[in-house]
Amino acid sequence: ELKVEQNPLFLSMQEGKNYTIYCNYSTTSDRLYWYRQDPGKSLESLFVLLSNGAVKQEGRLMASLDTKARLSTLHITAAVHDLSATYFCAADSNYQLIWGAGTKLIIKP
Amino acid sequence: GAGVSQSPSNKVTEKGKDVELRCDPISGHTALYWYRQSLGQGLEFLIYFQGNSAPDKSGLPSDRFSAERTGGSVSTLTIQRTQQEDSAVYLCASSLVAGVGELFFGEGSRLTVL
């Protein structure tokens, strides 16, 4: 049974700093997804990672996938307040996504 | 449609009443998913459809919960005899085909059971 663990679950940081959110999954998965959720809003797709070594970047966010280590990371560079949100990772399993618990990110001005 | 549409956006009901939540997926998307999200929590899988079939109903919390999809499009999630623990945001998502590609989420239906 696939399980997905994120850490940290909560992160408070200052603007301008760098940080990384980690997503571990327990068994082989074909794809790894990152989503963002703003308070009271729905989920927005950020990245889809399809293969070992995949790296995708959008603005200050960069996601990577290491299928051998069963680890994906979401790196935030020079954080800005607008990136405050909850970030979820999810992995494929039998036609559905198994979700991490989410990382609530607060970026202070 | 342009995106996944859910209705109602908010529903307040009394314990013991039945509720229906509707989801209209993105046109052409054959896979449709229902999730539940309690306040400050992650996503709890309920059920998914590929076309009109529901291969996996394992996430439905009890027999008070049911879902159907007709015409390969709109889906309805029904909760009978609602309980206070059913209070949550119910999220619907669709994708082109189950197991392929990202999910696109609706804005959710917030259910409050008094």
Side-chain angles (χ1 to χ4, degrees), chain A residues 2 21 25-26 31 36 41 47-48 57 66 76 107:
Chain A
L2 175 63
I21 300 170
Y25 54 99
S26 59
R31 298 174 187 83
R36 167 180 173 151
K41 301 292 186 181
F47 301 108
V48 182
Q57 184 163 3
D66 180 344
I76 304 144
I107 300 169

Side-chain angles (χ1 to χ4, degrees), chain A residues 2-58:
Chain A
L2 175 63
K3 294 186 179 179
V4 177
E5 290 187 359
Q6 280 182 245
N7 70 85
L9 299 182
F10 180 81
L11 178 59
S12 178
M13 55 194 291
Q14 295 293 130
E15 277 192 326
K17 300 290 187 182
N18 303 332
Y19 210 81
T20 300
I21 300 170
Y22 297 88
C23 176
N24 291 273
Y25 54 99
S26 59
T27 65
T28 302
S29 177
D30 291 335
R31 298 174 187 83
L32 196 291
Y33 303 80
W34 284 96
Y35 284 79
R36 167 180 173 151
Q37 186 177 36
D38 291 300
K41 301 292 186 181
S42 192
L43 283 82
E44 172 191 359
S45 176
L46 294 174
F47 301 108
V48 182
L49 302 169
L50 301 177
S51 61
N52 188 42
V55 177
K56 291 196 174 180
Q57 184 163 3
E58 179 74 32

Side-chain angles (χ1 to χ4, degrees), chain B residues 28-110:
Chain B
H29 280 194
T30 63
L32 185 149
Y33 299 78
W34 284 100
Y35 290 91
R36 180 166 72 173
Q37 187 176 34
S38 300
L39 186 63
Q41 302 298 311
L43 277 74
E44 176 187 2
F45 169 76
L46 298 179
I47 189 171
Y48 90 92
F49 292 88
Q50 176 58 49
N52 291 334
S53 300
D56 188 350
K57 302 180 182 180
S58 63
L60 294 177
S62 74
D63 58 8
R64 297 186 294 106
F65 288 72
S66 62
E68 64 175 16
R69 189 181 186 194
T70 55
S73 182
V74 172
S75 176
T76 302
L77 177 68
T78 302
I79 309 172
Q80 296 179 309
R81 305 180 303 280
T82 52
Q83 303 295 312
Q84 288 184 332
E85 60 262 29
D86 299 335
S87 297
V89 176
Y90 290 81
L91 291 166
C92 176
S94 69
S95 66
L96 278 171
V97 178
V100 179
E102 64 205 286
L103 302 187
F104 295 85
F105 282 82
E107 292 294 312
S109 292
R110 181 177 298 277

